[in-house]
């Protein structure tokens, strides 16, 4: 007889992970190395250490060590908002009238509102350990910037955030959260950096772009003594830190004899999905268990389902290393109509390799159906989900409804990455019936893909 | 040897309360009864049942039953977001370098962002049980309206929220959360009600007031078949439901041998403070234990510390019953300068009686010092607190700093009622150094107090 499952499973403190899991160690086909954009040769530790903290650069390059200790200082910070609950969606199951069992791992119970804090605190820790004064980063809507601000406040580090100007002006709430945590938030393009001054001169009155903000943040990191640049997704080091999600989930599942058939996550740069599934992927790669993994991406930015697997720039400004990944081309910009996050043109190189190897499935979902799922979830489970997370909800609902048709009692587990409290403009559009779907044409995708660097 | 205290104490599901605790049963001096505003005689069950659901009217009048069963449907809903954690503020203690031990009970981990949901779900349940179609209420900033919308979505009830027009227009985010949960949100004054039409005619272009919204909500409840009016604070029924906070806290304390010396909560209408302290007050009244209880109110709306203890209207529109309470007079309106919530002119009649009996202490704190405490708390404990909750943080910090001076290892427990994600306009004022303090003059208070009804 299986154990009675509570609505929410919280691990005890002594059950929390003490090591991150590096799935690359178990991958037969390793992710392709990052390339130096100048030489097109694999980046060395020294090269990466000019931009990133040294320990983080080491983690980025390490594809053989399976378990990496989580330093005690980070584990103590994790204890303030973790373990996150693994929730049995009893009310949603009832509303759907499905024989499926639905679980979600909820990462939204912290002020950053998402899983981003898991890596932000790790990156801030290594910066502090290296004796740095501070870190720089870029942010769009502000989720990553908020997480980093919180982490820097904790370790007493200076935090310089370049925030896309249009968001800085139109979305003042996240900006004020960052400022409350002591971060220095600058609208980008600014007059602080050479690249910012140049863009301001060239395009007077521009409201900025993420690509420009990245370039400013990288310049600020490399031209100030004692600073490094940090990034919230895509990189393998970020996926490594995010495995705390999957490791907690794995422990909770074992404790309560839960065996998921399908594990689902939304995928932008891939940090949340990679963090959730890594330990389970490890089991599968080692032949210990079998699971289906589904990456859910927006139909308006379909890097896995319609992109190509090739070397590309990670940033629009083309200053960062090149990564081999599923990509739509770094010049691809999703329609402004698209409100649901997950706007990144590429995908984590780890997940890209797993997808190419057939370990990971992918599907694209449309915006209105995503918000319909979000609304149903909010009304039954009581949590207002982030639009990004709601992509995973959509796929979980679809799988649960399939079970209703077939009568199968599958166990579906998905990652609920965060809350949508700062996304009410998008919800308002949906509530007012003003939301529409947008799928890029083949011509559009071909154009941005054709502009990619020719490396292979 | 005392047990090792984890950062966060989560009770098991089977340790969660199955009954609410009605502190009035243990009070020798009972709170004075509500009076009918027309007859000035104690309200009967029948009179109250015209406005409130019958079971809730019964709870309002019951001052003898110590324990009241929490229906299973409500306990199941509680399981979706409760138990709330009792948190040991290790990082804050370290930052303050205090020998005091600080704990807080955090009620913000749900989409309403506060403890309000504890009573909203109870009130929605009894409305559903009575076979009603829906409920009406008013909301200012929208916290209570959000909680009620979530509760009504869960039970499939119509939810009609009259939202002060200026908030409806200037604070659209909470409005959209309510709409996402299916609530019907109307800017007040509206053209839906007689009182609304009258006010619109009399004051063209008015942006509304809470008093007017209450009057509209009460009219809407009493003129539509199958509707009742519900309220989020002040009433004894609301305090009863909120005892789930204190009961969980009490169980967690006993489980880990935690004995608080001081228990602190912010006080607007009193629902959170009353809910937190009731079980501990019960112990004190029965002579089983001794605790200090501190109500913290804003210096700009000091009902306990500078009000009078007398019968007054609960609402500005004077349509609701009269309550005997500490009050500044129902015509008192806190300065617009005051950003921190807790704007209610009166106080729960239960807490008023406890204060009058010397069981409960009270102190008033100023706005800037409250936001300073909020900022320090956010940066060390990682949670961005609601301005209301931050009043309790201020007092807890002050007590902990006193311990630093005296070397006493006191145990301080406070209620962290919610998060400040929708209060960033106030935080921005603080971040920009644009915030100021405001304390009403004796003349101002004398004026509103002199306009009170003469009942005693």
């Amino acid at each position: 007889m299986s154990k009675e499952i509570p609505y929410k499973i919280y691990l005890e403190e002594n059950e929390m992970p003490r090591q991150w899991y590096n799935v690359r160690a178990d991958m037969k086909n390793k992710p392709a190395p990052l390339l130096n954009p100048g030489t097109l040769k694999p980046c060395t530790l020294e090269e990466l250490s000019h931009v990133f903290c040294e320990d983080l650069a080491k983690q980025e390059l390490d594809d053989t060590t399976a378990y990496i200790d989580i330093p005690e200082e980070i584990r103590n910070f994790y204890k303030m908002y973790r373990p996150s609950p693994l929730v049995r969606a009893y009310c949603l199951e009832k509303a759907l009238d499905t024989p499926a069992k639905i679980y979600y791992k909820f990462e939204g119970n912290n002020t950053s509102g998402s899983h981003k804090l898991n890596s932000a605190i790790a990156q801030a820790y290594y910066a502090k350990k290296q004796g740095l004064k501070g870190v720089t980063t870029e942010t769009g809507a502000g989720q990553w910037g908020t997480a980093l601000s919180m982490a820097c406040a904790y370790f007493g580090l200076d935090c310089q955030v370049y925030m896309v100007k249009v968001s800085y002006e139109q979305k003042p709430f996240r900006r004020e959260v960052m400022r409350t945590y002591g971060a220095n938030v600058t609208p980008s393009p600014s007059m602080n950096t050479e690249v910012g001054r140049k863009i301001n001169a060239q395009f007077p009155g521009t409201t900025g772009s993420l690509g420009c903000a990245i370039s400013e943040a990288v310049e600020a990191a490399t031209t100030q003594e004692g600073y490094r640049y940090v990034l919230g997704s895509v990189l393998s080091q970020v996926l490594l830190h995010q495995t705390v999600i999957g490791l907690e989930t794995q422990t909770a599942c074992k404790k309560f004899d839960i065996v998921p058939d399908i594990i689902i996550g939304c995928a932008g740069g891939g940090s949340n999905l990679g963090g959730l599934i890594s330990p389970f992927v490890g089991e599968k790669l080692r032949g210990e268990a079998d699971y289906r993994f589904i990456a859910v991406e927006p139909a308006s930015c379909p890097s896995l389902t319609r992109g190509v697997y090739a070397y590309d720039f990670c940033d629009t400004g083309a200053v960062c290393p090149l990564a081999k990944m599923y990509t739509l081309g770094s010049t691809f910009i999703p329609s402004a109509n698209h409100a649901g996050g997950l706007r990144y043109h590429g995908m984590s190189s780890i997940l890209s390799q797993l997808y190419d190897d057939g370990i990971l499935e992918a599907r694209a979902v449309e915006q209105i159906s995503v918000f319909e799922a979000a609304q149903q979830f909010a009304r039954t489970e009581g949590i207002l989900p982030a639009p990004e997370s709601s992509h995973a909800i959509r796929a979980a609902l679809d799988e649960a409804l399939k079970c209703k048709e077939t009568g199968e009692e599958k166990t579906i587990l998905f990652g609920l990455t965060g809350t949508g409290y700062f996304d009410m403009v998008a919800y308002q559009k949906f509530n007012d019936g003003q939301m529409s779907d947008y799928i890029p044409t083949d011509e559009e995708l071909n154009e941005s893909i054709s502009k990619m660097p020719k490396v292979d």
Side-chain angles (χ1 to χ4, degrees), chain A:
Chain A
M1 207 186 78
S2 63
K3 293 175 196 165
E4 196 182 330
I5 311 285
Y7 277 63
K8 293 192 266 65
I9 300 171
Y10 283 106
L11 298 181
E12 304 287 329
E13 263 182 20
N14 59 21
E15 297 170 314
M16 286 171 70
R18 302 175 70 88
Q19 297 180 307
W20 292 302
Y21 167 64
N22 183 5
V23 70
R24 287 170 292 175
D26 282 316
M27 289 169 72
K28 216 191 306 184
N29 300 323
K30 307 282 183 196
L34 295 174
L35 299 186
N36 179 315
T39 64
L40 295 186
K41 287 189 179 152
C43 289
T44 64
L45 178 61
E46 204 198 327
E47 285 168 348
L48 284 180
S49 299
H50 288 152
V51 181
F52 301 118
C53 303
E54 202 175 318
D55 281 328
L56 293 167
K58 279 183 196 158
Q59 292 177 357
E60 194 63 36
L61 295 174
D62 184 349
D63 59 9
T64 54
T65 312
Y67 287 94
I68 294 177
D69 285 344
I70 308 176
E72 193 188 353
E73 291 86 341
I74 299 175
R75 283 190 285 119
N76 282 343
F77 188 89
Y78 280 167
K79 285 180 196 166
M80 287 208 289
Y81 71 100
R82 307 198 66 82
S84 71
L86 179 66
V87 187
R88 173 75 184 266
Y90 283 114
C91 297
L92 184 62
E93 291 170 16
K94 197 175 156 195
L96 295 173
D97 190 23
T98 173
K101 298 180 185 72
I102 306 176
Y103 293 87
Y104 55 93
K105 179 72 168 169
F106 179 45
E107 292 290 315
N109 274 347
N110 70 75
T111 292
S112 84
S114 82
H115 67 292
K116 296 275 179 185
L117 195 52
N118 300 330
S119 183
I121 192 65
Q123 298 195 46
Y125 166 78
Y126 289 114
K128 184 72 180 178
K129 187 183 160 209
Q130 194 173 325
L132 299 178
K133 284 185 206 156
V135 292
T136 72
T137 200
E138 78 291 337
T139 202
Q143 220 163 27
W144 165 245
T146 305
L148 190 67
S149 305
M150 294 173 65
C152 286
Y154 186 75
F155 283 121
L157 281 171
D158 186 34
C159 180
Q160 301 180 352
V161 181
Y162 287 85
M163 187 171 187
V164 179
K165 194 180 271 177
V166 61
S167 297
Y168 182 93
E169 286 164 359
Q170 291 180 3
K171 298 180 179 177
F173 285 7
R174 284 251 190 223
R175 179 189 80 206
E176 291 306 322
V177 177
M178 291 185 260
R179 290 183 68 208
T180 300
Y181 282 90
N184 202 320
V185 188
T186 306
S188 168
S190 73
M191 299 303 275
N192 294 1
T193 65
E194 202 168 311
V195 60
R197 288 187 291 271
K198 205 164 134 189
I199 290 172
N200 271 317
Q202 206 172 347
F203 308 100
T206 175
T207 54
S209 71
L210 206 54
C212 167
I214 295 179
S215 304
E216 286 209 281
V218 172
E219 183 185 322
T222 50
T223 55
Q224 289 175 98
E225 187 69 31
Y227 282 78
R228 290 293 185 282
Y229 169 70
V230 297
L231 192 67
S233 190
V234 185
L235 296 174
S236 298
Q237 57 184 273
V238 179
L239 255 74
L240 176 72
H241 308 146
Q242 296 296 355
T243 59
V244 68
I245 306 172
L247 290 162
E248 281 183 10
T249 306
Q250 195 183 38
T251 303
C253 284
K254 288 199 171 140
K255 193 172 171 180
F256 286 90
D257 300 331
I258 300 163
V259 182
D261 296 292
I262 311 174
I263 305 178
I264 298 169
C266 62
S271 72
N272 134 69
L273 177 67
L276 173 65
I277 67 174
S278 276
F280 296 96
V281 168
E283 290 181 44
K284 184 165 177 162
L285 292 173
R286 296 189 303 269
E288 298 162 8
D290 194 20
Y291 306 102
R292 278 181 67 197
F293 303 105
I294 306 177
V296 191
E297 56 185 16
S300 52
C301 190
S303 40
L304 286 172
T305 50
R306 294 177 69 196
V308 292
Y309 190 35
Y311 268 105
D312 194 10
F313 292 111
C314 289
D315 59 315
T316 337
V319 293
C320 295
L322 283 84
K324 187 172 177 191
M325 56 185 176
Y326 276 85
T327 175
L328 302 168
S330 67
T331 58
F332 178 79
I333 295 173
S335 159
N337 173 57
H338 172 64
L342 310 176
R343 310 180 132 263
Y344 190 61
H345 66 278
M347 181 58 62
S348 140
S349 58
I350 293 174
L351 293 183
S352 292
Q353 186 62 48
L354 290 172
Y355 180 60
D356 207 56
D357 288 343
I359 306 287
L360 173 67
E361 304 168 34
R363 76 175 61 158
V365 292
E366 294 185 37
Q367 176 160 262
I368 292 175
S369 75
V370 165
F371 277 83
E372 284 166 353
Q375 185 193 65
Q376 182 167 18
F377 184 82
R379 292 184 183 182
T380 48
E381 288 291 313
I383 297 170
L384 187 92
E388 295 82 351
S389 325
S390 304
H391 288 72
I393 298 175
R394 176 71 271 162
L397 290 185
D398 291 341
E399 292 299 322
L401 292 171
K402 270 186 217 164
C403 288
K404 186 178 176 176
E405 278 186 26
T406 62
E408 289 174 288
E409 293 184 28
K410 283 189 183 163
T411 297
I412 300 165
L413 190 157
F414 69 95
L416 188 71
T417 54
T419 50
Y421 307 149
F422 292 92
D423 300 291
M424 295 319 297
V425 174
Y427 272 97
Q428 181 173 0
K429 258 193 179 175
F430 175 73
N431 291 337
D432 287 339
Q434 301 291 320
M435 186 166 271
S436 57
D437 288 321
Y438 179 80
I439 301 178
T441 62
D442 287 340
E443 289 67 33
E444 282 176 88
L445 295 184
N446 288 341
E447 199 196 324
S448 59
I449 287 170
S450 70
K451 288 183 189 154
M452 283 168 50
K454 308 287 176 268
V455 177
D456 294 284

